[in-house]
Amino acid sequence: MSLSIMLEQLGMGMMRSVGLFAWTLILSIPLGLLVSFGRMSKNFLLRNIIKLYIAIMRGTPLMLQLLIIYFGPFYLWHANIGGYRYAALIIGFTLNYAAYFAEIFRSGIQSMPAGQYEAADVLGYGRTQTFIKIILPQVIKRVLPPVTNETITLVKDTSLAYALAYSEMFSLAKQISAAQASFMPLVIAGVFYFVFNYFVQEVMIMIEKKLNYYR
């Protein structure tokens, strides 16, 4: 196999990895914010259900979660899971990362001084207005570094999609490497991951700089 064909195939796998990464990020960040509200709820039942969910997502391997989400419908209800693979990946990654983002958001929200809420109340802001206009922008600035770390981890975790036989970049690199008896496809895959992570890191640094006026 020529280098150009190898790069073309790995490039297609990279696009699949990027798609999985993008959908997970788009869905898990807002879900994580909602979960953080449940985690801080005054409702005892809701708070403990969310706490258990976070504990399970963070305390068990992501690969195991993906396998349960994919094969669960078949073993429980004998459902046809033929076209369910990609959806299972998105659901699994989203639920897992939402749990991590929820704890990050919770710590950021709870770190805000009580005086912020009191001042907003004096100015006539409602609870929702206070959170959206005053608290949330400051929380985003505070939680951006740990969110960046989780985002970079997500780039590498997309390789776990091979557990459901989804041909993303790392899976294709292993297949080509085995077929060609060459280590080069894995080296190229490593370069792709490095470049992707570097790009993500630079974007997050740029966002952090734009939010510096919240200091």
Side-chain angles (χ1 to χ4, degrees), residues 40 85-86 93 97 107 161 196-197 208:
M40 296 181 292
R85 180 175 289 107
Y86 189 68
F93 275 96
Y97 272 84
S107 64
F196 189 15
N197 264 328
E208 188 171 355

Side-chain angles (χ1 to χ4, degrees), residues 34-120:
L34 289 175
V35 172
S36 71
F37 294 151
R39 179 69 175 81
M40 296 181 292
S41 172
K42 294 179 181 179
N43 185 300
F44 176 83
L45 181 60
L46 175 61
R47 185 174 68 251
N48 282 279
I49 289 174
I50 294 298
K51 186 177 180 180
L52 178 61
Y53 154 71
I54 292 174
I56 292 173
M57 291 294 108
R58 298 175 70 192
T60 58
L62 175 55
M63 186 185 297
L64 176 62
Q65 296 167 21
L66 292 174
L67 291 172
I68 290 174
I69 290 172
Y70 181 59
F71 291 107
F74 173 77
Y75 286 109
L76 292 175
W77 306 295
H78 301 288
N80 183 2
I81 57 175
Y84 177 56
R85 180 175 289 107
Y86 189 68
L89 286 169
I90 298 297
I91 293 170
F93 275 96
T94 298
L95 291 177
N96 180 273
Y97 272 84
Y100 285 92
F101 287 135
E103 286 297 272
I104 292 172
F105 283 124
R106 180 185 64 82
S107 64
I109 293 170
Q110 291 183 334
S111 71
M112 297 302 298
Q116 298 265 358
Y117 297 92
E118 294 168 359

Side-chain angles (χ1 to χ4, degrees), residues 100-177:
Y100 285 92
F101 287 135
E103 286 297 272
I104 292 172
F105 283 124
R106 180 185 64 82
S107 64
I109 293 170
Q110 291 183 334
S111 71
M112 297 302 298
Q116 298 265 358
Y117 297 92
E118 294 168 359
D121 186 56
V122 170
L123 292 172
Y125 282 89
R127 188 174 180 180
T128 303
Q129 283 181 308
T130 299
F131 182 77
I132 294 176
K133 294 185 177 181
I134 299 176
I135 303 300
L136 184 58
Q138 297 179 75
V139 168
I140 291 174
K141 175 69 171 83
R142 291 191 179 195
V143 305
L144 205 54
V147 167
T148 300
N149 289 337
E150 290 300 325
T151 303
I152 290 173
T153 300
L154 173 59
V155 173
K156 295 176 286 186
D157 276 353
T158 55
S159 62
L160 294 176
Y162 83 89
L164 301 189
Y166 182 71
S167 297
E168 40 67 56
M169 185 180 62
F170 187 66
S171 297
L172 287 173
K174 289 197 300 180
Q175 292 171 14
I176 297 172
S177 180

